[in-house]
Amino acid sequence: MRYEKKQHEKKVKRKRKKSLLKKTVLLLLLLMAVTFGYAYFQYKQGINHAREKTTIEQEVFTFNGEKDKYGGTNILLIGSDSRGEESARSDTIMIAQYHPKKHSYKLISIMRDSYVEIPNYGKNKINAAFALGGPELLRQTIKKNFNVDVKYYAIVDFDGFIHLIDEAFPNGVEIEVEKEMSAFLDVPLKPGLQRLDGAHLLSYVRFRYDAMGDFDRVKRQQKAMKEVANQFASFQTLSKFPKLVGVMKPYVNTNMDTSDIIYIGKDYLSKDNRNINTFRIPVDGMFETDRISGIGEVLILDREANADALGEFLAK
């Protein structure tokens, strides 16, 4: 009798454990469904909100990107000066890298006057590659000259940049403007710490009429990108992020899946260490300036030295 009683008690305990396990699994599945459902609702809400304010049409590009050999995910960031033109050059060329194992973030600027070999077109400024063959030819050009693969692209034109900043930062982006900036700008800037809306921030990252020209402009672009990322992280919560992705989507022409954008963004938002390391091509001491007939002023690169330096930076 005692043996049978013990066996019966064991069976009852096993049934209770199984029942508890099933309930726990069902609860977790329900929570996941609610979380994903809410995230999707927020994302769609963000898209609908943005589309009510924009008429930007996005062209679909062929892009044969590959994963970087160093294990990072590289995204080609292109600022386009289209202004309605069909063959716009890339005003800004950057590579943003996210490394999923190291949880590191890097930003590389390639100066637009870099004189490089464009596949099937000969030598020209690197920003001509985008006008000649879109992001795919620019990808090929970067691979050929610097031996770096990029998997994704993201293109933002001037109008899209303004809307994007205004939507994501309704109170502006806080930036220390180093000097007065007015030459060839639609929206001039005064010096000092201030919150810049989309139009003013565009002026800040485009201004290049000072002593160092494009070199200082690249510094400002990297500074602005880091400030945007850091300030975005400081006031956004993980629950709000899907909606912000939806808001930004209509203004950014990209081949990235929404799930990848959210994954990378949430990883950035959830980390305490959000340091973004920056790099510039050409590297100091690894280029010369020259003027070429029909092209203008260019930066003649020591291609091998710059490619090696970039490889070392990405491999860290």
Side-chain angles (χ1 to χ4, degrees):
M1 287 290 290
R2 287 181 179 177
Y3 175 76
E4 291 178 355
K5 186 176 181 181
K6 285 182 178 180
Q7 289 297 107
H8 176 70
E9 288 175 352
K10 287 181 179 179
K11 286 182 180 180
V12 170
K13 285 181 180 180
R14 282 198 294 269
K15 285 183 179 179
R16 285 176 179 170
K17 285 182 179 179
K18 285 183 180 180
S19 177
L20 181 61
L21 180 62
K22 286 181 180 179
K23 288 179 180 178
T24 302
V25 171
L26 286 172
L27 180 60
L28 288 173
L29 289 173
L30 180 61
L31 286 172
M32 287 174 64
V34 170
T35 300
F36 285 123
Y38 176 75
Y40 181 74
F41 171 75
Q42 289 284 302
Y43 169 70
K44 294 298 289 185
Q45 192 178 47
I47 285 183
N48 293 334
H49 172 75
R51 282 180 175 165
E52 289 175 358
K53 297 185 175 184
T54 181
T55 57
I56 296 173
E57 293 184 8
Q58 296 179 350
E59 181 179 352
V60 178
F61 294 97
T62 298
F63 196 76
N64 301 315
E66 297 179 3
K67 190 158 185 173
D68 179 64
K69 64 181 178 181
Y70 302 106
T73 298
N74 294 331
I75 307 160
L76 177 59
L77 306 178
I78 303 168
S80 170
D81 61 346
S82 60
R83 289 171 285 191
E85 301 169 14
E86 291 185 4
S87 57
R89 294 196 174 202
S90 45
D91 188 71
T92 301
I93 303 170
M94 292 181 169
I95 300 172
Q97 187 197 71
Y98 163 70
H99 202 296
K101 291 184 179 179
K102 299 177 183 177
H103 298 285
S104 63
Y105 308 88
K106 297 177 181 179
L107 187 65
I108 302 107
S109 294
I110 303 177
M111 296 187 67
R112 64 182 191 170
D113 290 341
S114 298
Y115 193 58
V116 297
E117 183 74 31
I118 300 177
N120 301 317
Y121 289 92
K123 287 201 166 185
N124 205 333
K125 294 183 180 182
I126 193 169
N127 69 337
F130 181 71
L132 293 168
E136 171 60 15
L137 184 59
L138 184 52
R139 180 197 70 79
Q140 293 176 18
T141 301
I142 291 170
K143 172 66 175 177
K144 183 176 182 64
N145 290 273
F146 308 113
N147 196 30
V148 171
D149 286 304
V150 288
K151 188 174 183 180
Y152 302 111
Y153 71 83
I155 307 168
V156 182
D157 65 17
F158 291 169
D159 189 42
F161 179 88
I162 292 171
H163 286 293
L164 181 59
I165 294 300
D166 288 343
E167 287 289 349
F169 297 89
N171 296 319
V173 178
E174 189 172 78
I175 289 281
E176 177 72 43
V177 179
E178 313 91 70
K179 65 187 81 174
E180 184 174 342
M181 302 177 188
S182 59
F184 299 97
L185 293 178
D186 294 330
V187 183
L189 296 171
K190 295 292 184 181
L193 181 66
Q194 53 201 286
R195 288 192 170 274
L196 303 182
D197 61 13
H200 286 83
L201 189 61
L202 179 63
S203 290
Y204 182 77
V205 299
R206 293 201 66 232
F207 181 73
R208 63 190 181 98
Y209 294 95
D210 54 10
M212 294 300 292
D214 269 346
F215 288 91
D216 275 351
R217 184 170 76 153
V218 165
K219 285 182 183 179
R220 283 190 288 272
Q221 288 172 349
Q222 291 185 343
K223 173 184 170 181
M225 287 287 287
K226 292 174 76 169
E227 286 297 335
V228 164
N230 290 333
Q231 292 177 40
F232 180 82
S234 69
F235 70 82
Q236 295 301 332
T237 63
L238 292 178
S239 62
K240 292 179 181 178
F241 187 65
K243 182 175 181 179
L244 262 294
V245 173
V247 167
M248 293 185 289
K249 192 80 171 175
Y251 303 116
V252 182
N253 187 335
T254 181
N255 66 333
M256 292 186 73
D257 292 333
T258 301
S259 58
D260 290 328
I261 297 172
I262 292 177
Y263 175 79
I264 295 173
K266 284 196 170 185
D267 187 72
Y268 180 80
L269 290 174
S270 63
K271 295 292 181 295
D272 292 330
N273 179 20
R274 302 190 186 101
N275 185 47
I276 300 175
N277 295 315
T278 58
F279 190 84
R280 188 203 72 207
I281 287 180
V283 178
D284 287 340
M286 298 182 184
F287 72 96
E288 296 178 353
T289 59
D290 199 357
R291 175 174 287 276
I292 296 178
S293 178
I295 295 178
E297 290 188 1
V298 298
L299 304 173
I300 306 294
L301 279 57
D302 182 333
R303 193 168 78 173
E304 185 175 345
N306 278 277
D308 288 345
L310 177 57
E312 289 177 11
F313 174 74
L314 291 173
K316 289 179 183 177

